[in-house]
Amino acid sequence: AQLGIAPSHVDGHQHLHLIPGVFPAVVEQARQRGVGFIRTHLGDPWQTPGRLARRGIALAMAGLGWLSWSRVSNRAGVRPFTTIGFIGAGGSLTVDGIMAALERLRQRRRPPEIVEVMLHPGQRDAAAVARYGHWHYHWENDLALLCDRRLRAWLPERGYEVTSFGALASHG
């Protein structure tokens, strides 16, 4: 706020905002500053691609999110959102994988109201590789997902709206 930046949502790096001793303070600060959305849940942790260790991390983060959100007594003015692609972002997600994850969320007894699809789109160039090459991201794959015609047609057919947290906040 002091810099003139009005954040639209909270999605702490690597979900560190979900640590139980930190999360209540994050929620309170969000409330005080009018930030209406906080990433709280991983939508599909058991479908995390990769090795068992990666799946274990995703399951642990999912449990931490549920635990942290359940312990917040004053949630007024703050809406949780679910994310898919936590570990798969960076080039591991596919169109079919996104559609399947969204369908699994839709079939839950209480489907989430807001779902974020986490992507890291971009282009691999010398500067990106020098700075972030150790992440082994495939930014072009995530960029292709954003431009995929099949996915862009499927989302509204299934009742999903592609939007931003800023636009959601303006709807009230």
Side-chain angles (χ1 to χ4, degrees), residues 43-44 46-47 98-113 115 154 158 160:
D44 218 5
W46 49 90
Q47 299 295 325
I98 290 171
M99 292 189 305
L102 291 171
E103 284 302 303
R104 282 190 291 275
L105 289 173
R106 180 189 294 272
Q107 293 170 10
R108 287 185 177 171
R109 185 173 53 87
R110 290 179 25 204
E113 182 181 343
V115 179
W154 182 87
R158 299 295 295 153
Y160 294 103

Side-chain angles (χ1 to χ4, degrees), residues 119-137:
L119 298 171
H120 295 103
Q123 295 183 339
R124 186 176 199 85
D125 61 19
V129 172
R131 189 164 185 184
Y132 304 109
H134 62 285
W135 290 354
H136 305 288
Y137 277 10

Side-chain angles (χ1 to χ4, degrees), residues 45-156:
W46 49 90
Q47 299 295 325
T48 299
R51 297 186 181 116
L52 184 58
R54 292 183 100 194
R55 291 180 183 177
I57 291 168
L59 287 168
M61 293 308 297
L64 193 59
W66 283 105
L67 176 67
S68 294
W69 184 246
S70 70
R71 291 185 173 176
V72 172
S73 58
N74 187 356
R75 300 177 184 174
V78 178
R79 294 166 61 189
F81 66 91
T82 297
T83 189
I84 59 174
F86 167 53
I87 292 183
S92 298
L93 295 175
T94 64
V95 170
D96 290 333
I98 290 171
M99 292 189 305
L102 291 171
E103 284 302 303
R104 282 190 291 275
L105 289 173
R106 180 189 294 272
Q107 293 170 10
R108 287 185 177 171
R109 185 173 53 87
R110 290 179 25 204
E113 182 181 343
I114 301 168
V115 179
E116 167 197 43
V117 178
M118 184 188 297
L119 298 171
H120 295 103
Q123 295 183 339
R124 186 176 199 85
D125 61 19
V129 172
R131 189 164 185 184
Y132 304 109
H134 62 285
W135 290 354
H136 305 288
Y137 277 10
H138 301 281
W139 299 285
E140 297 87 355
N141 293 356
D142 282 1
L143 181 59
L145 286 174
L146 287 175
C147 300
D148 188 272
R149 288 184 178 162
R150 185 169 61 117
L151 184 59
R152 291 176 63 99
W154 182 87
L155 290 167

